[in-house]
Amino acid sequence: MTDLDFLAVRGTSLADAAGPIRLTGVGLGGWMNMENFITGYPGNEEAIRRLMRDRMGREAYDAFFEAFMTDFFGEADAAHLASLGLNSVRIPFNYRHFEDDAAPFELKEEGFARLDRVVSLLARHGIYSILDLHALPGRQNQHWHSDNPTHVAEFWNQRHFQDRVVHLWEALADRFKDRPEVAGYNPINEPSDPTGEVLPAFYERLERAIRAVDPRHVLFLDGNKYSTDFSFLDARAEPMENTVYTAHDYALPGITSATAYPGVTRGEYFDRTVVEQTFLRRTEYMRRTGTPIWIGEFGPVYSADRSQDPWRLRLLQDQLEIYREHGASWALWTYKDIGLQGLMTISPESPYLGLIGDLVEKKQRLGVDSWGGSDAGIREVIDPIDALFDREFPGYSPYPWGRQPHIAVLVRHILLAEPLAEQFADRFRGIDPVRARELAASFRFDACEERAGLSEVLRAHLRE
């Protein structure tokens, strides 16, 4: 096992015993927090799991997910990340691995064991882990990645949900307090508190609770509005001790239907200078307070036919160079998926995509996924709604992103996702445990394909 030292905040840097260290890594999206674009299902995780359990029966359902949890990330995956020169992995997880809504505050050992297995695997290859609570009870933001079946973030309205998160983090801190291979704790992914008032008070409460158990590990705190807005900290005189404030820095050309970079996206010209200005705006609080910068998520999505890969990889190279020039640590999103964004992708010939591939195409046609999706195929539905809002509610701009994304959530990502989720689950009806494990094995490292161009960009950058 490779020895790793505890990390701590020292001025503008993270540091181990030998001195400053810059974290360069990936997010392990889709594993302990499943997401629709990563593994191919429509809607949110809790709903698809419930539907699959209904169609498959408990035995086959358990066989699939027990295998999936092991096959999605194993020894070969950790070795591959080390071979790229990466030194850290942000591990997102859903609270449901640790606690059931029907039994709040009763923690489940199997969740800790799953997390511990991967932390230990990574440590053997000299890789730090950052523990990221990605989906909170009550949902901390308005979208699918917090396992939200609605468009309402109830976490900020209910003390009960907040109490459960404090309780879970106390348990996590107790479990990992003596583990230097854990770089630190990322307690809330992409909070989206409409008032901006609950979040700072909750961060202070959470910091006290964690520090009472574990005073040593670094805290990685996301900004509000999906980790892009730090104005909620303006009233705070000093940053918290041993804390990194983390921004997410998706560049617009990389996550839209843009056709060129440098070039015009949604009426705005983007080149390296504009991308850097966005980064500087999102990290203003860190630079003003002299605290380390960690970009907890960033990275382009890729076109299905790979025709746009060259300019999207150029955008990625620009971002990596900007981060290095400003001493920023980073975690690229994401490690493994079915083809949109991952360093590793499952094979188009895999049993899993053989089962659900046409439904993935249907999702794309209907624009059901928020991430990487498009409404181009259903404008006959969206255009009349837009016209109605233009006529009846011209000034309507709901939090967090305004009217058009709000309509997209309600129509595409909820209304159309719900019946499509039923069709997805139907594909698993009658599958026995043996077949279930074969399907899950589609995500094993040796069954996946490397996105070679992306890997080479990372290798080249980390060699320099």
Side-chain angles (χ1 to χ4, degrees):
M1 179 174 175
T2 303
D3 290 332
L4 294 169
D5 293 321
F6 276 99
L7 297 186
V9 171
R10 295 180 189 166
T12 60
S13 300
L14 285 163
D16 62 10
I21 184 171
R22 198 163 67 100
L23 296 179
T24 57
V26 295
L28 187 53
W31 178 56
M32 283 187 77
N33 189 75
M34 293 177 66
E35 294 193 44
N36 47 37
F37 77 93
I38 294 178
T39 51
Y41 67 88
N44 68 301
E45 180 177 359
E46 183 278 330
I48 204 64
R49 280 178 172 262
R50 172 169 38 82
L51 292 169
M52 289 176 67
R53 187 167 57 246
D54 174 74
R55 305 308 196 267
M56 299 174 77
R58 173 60 71 175
E59 185 181 6
Y61 171 89
D62 286 347
F64 176 85
F65 280 102
E66 286 169 7
F68 176 85
M69 295 306 299
T70 302
D71 291 342
F72 194 94
F73 197 87
E75 188 81 43
D77 295 285
H80 178 63
L81 292 176
S83 77
L84 295 175
L86 300 170
N87 65 10
S88 56
V89 170
R90 179 177 181 242
I91 307 177
F93 48 90
N94 191 317
Y95 79 95
R96 297 179 190 277
H97 287 279
F98 301 90
E99 180 190 68
D100 292 325
D101 287 334
F105 303 103
E106 295 180 17
L107 299 181
K108 301 187 289 187
E109 172 59 26
E110 56 264 34
F112 296 96
R114 290 184 187 119
L115 191 55
D116 185 80
R117 179 183 71 86
V118 168
V119 168
S120 298
L121 274 179
L122 291 168
R124 284 203 293 272
H125 292 272
I127 298 174
Y128 283 102
S129 297
I130 299 98
L131 308 187
D132 156 36
L133 184 54
H134 216 77
L136 280 60
R139 282 77 62 176
Q140 78 277 12
N141 61 45
Q142 292 80 15
H143 284 85
W144 80 99
H145 45 86
S146 62
D147 200 6
N148 196 340
T150 75
H151 63 293
V152 179
E154 279 293 341
F155 177 82
W156 310 106
N157 303 325
Q158 299 282 347
R159 174 75 181 213
H160 168 77
F161 295 135
Q162 297 164 23
D163 291 348
R164 287 165 63 183
V165 168
V166 171
H167 181 250
L168 175 56
W169 271 111
E170 288 172 333
L172 287 162
D174 186 60
R175 180 83 173 218
F176 292 99
K177 63 185 177 184
D178 298 320
R179 304 283 292 276
E181 63 267 35
V182 173
Y185 308 137
N186 187 191
I188 307 179
N189 174 67
E190 295 191 345
S192 188
D193 169 15
T195 68
E197 297 173 358
V198 183
L199 179 60
F202 185 69
Y203 269 161
E204 293 198 9
R205 179 189 176 196
L206 196 56
E207 189 252 1
R208 290 192 300 270
I210 292 173
R211 299 290 193 217
V213 178
D214 175 4
R216 194 164 190 179
H217 275 102
V218 174
L219 293 183
F220 295 84
L221 299 185
D222 281 22
N224 199 18
K225 203 174 183 181
Y226 296 69
S227 208
T228 64
D229 179 7
F230 293 85
S231 61
F232 72 98
L233 293 169
D234 287 346
R236 186 180 179 89
E238 297 290 339
M240 291 181 181
E241 291 186 11
N242 207 31
T243 295
V244 173
Y245 294 92
T246 170
H248 291 186
D249 191 35
Y250 289 104
L252 192 63
I255 59 171
T256 63
S257 55
T259 57
Y261 172 85
V264 176
T265 300
R266 294 182 181 174
E268 181 180 356
Y269 181 76
F270 284 85
D271 59 10
R272 189 186 189 281
T273 298
V274 175
V275 170
E276 183 172 21
Q277 289 170 349
T278 303
F279 162 81
L280 292 173
R281 183 175 67 252
R282 289 172 173 169
T283 59
E284 186 277 334
Y285 178 81
M286 301 73 147
R287 291 179 293 103
R288 172 162 47 93
T289 57
T291 52
I293 299 171
W294 183 54
I295 302 300
E297 290 184 23
F298 75 108
V301 301
Y302 300 93
S303 55
D305 63 4
R306 303 292 180 257
S307 62
Q308 297 181 4
D309 283 11
W311 70 257
R312 290 180 185 263
L313 290 172
R314 179 178 176 181
L315 170 60
L316 175 63
Q317 286 176 304
D318 282 354
Q319 288 188 282
L320 291 171
E321 290 170 3
I322 290 165
Y323 300 160
R324 179 162 55 199
E325 290 171 9
H326 292 276
S329 296
W330 48 264
L332 179 70
W333 194 261
T334 183
Y335 171 56
K336 185 183 290 185
D337 66 7
I338 64 168
L340 184 69
Q341 200 170 13
L343 278 72
M344 300 294 297
T345 67
I346 74 171
S347 169
E349 309 304 318
S350 66
Y352 182 78
L353 281 184
L355 182 69
I356 60 119
D358 63 319
L359 292 181
V360 173
E361 293 175 1
K362 187 171 183 176
K363 276 205 308 173
Q364 293 169 345
R365 175 166 53 83
L366 297 177
V368 166
D369 284 351
S370 178
W371 199 245
S374 167
D375 65 6
I378 57 164
R379 287 310 308 179
E380 74 275 13
V381 175
I382 301 297
D383 285 342
I385 298 175
D386 280 341
L388 174 66
F389 272 78
D390 285 339
R391 184 173 68 251
E392 301 290 349
F393 313 108
Y396 185 57
S397 182
Y399 186 90
W401 307 119
R403 189 188 88 188
Q404 289 184 330
H406 182 72
I407 292 171
V409 167
L410 294 174
V411 176
R412 292 162 49 198
H413 315 322
I414 296 176
L415 181 64
L416 297 181
E418 288 179 349
L420 191 55
E422 298 272 357
Q423 292 183 350
F424 181 96
D426 286 342
R427 295 296 172 88
F428 292 81
R429 191 186 300 276
I431 287 175
D432 64 21
V434 173
R435 177 63 173 161
R437 285 187 283 269
E438 290 174 351
L439 292 168
S442 299
F443 289 89
R444 204 170 54 204
F445 181 82
D446 59 7
C448 289
E449 300 176 354
E450 183 177 5
R451 194 184 297 277
L454 174 54
S455 294
E456 185 48 42
V457 167
L458 293 177
R459 284 192 181 96
H461 176 79
L462 293 168
R463 280 196 303 262
E464 293 175 4

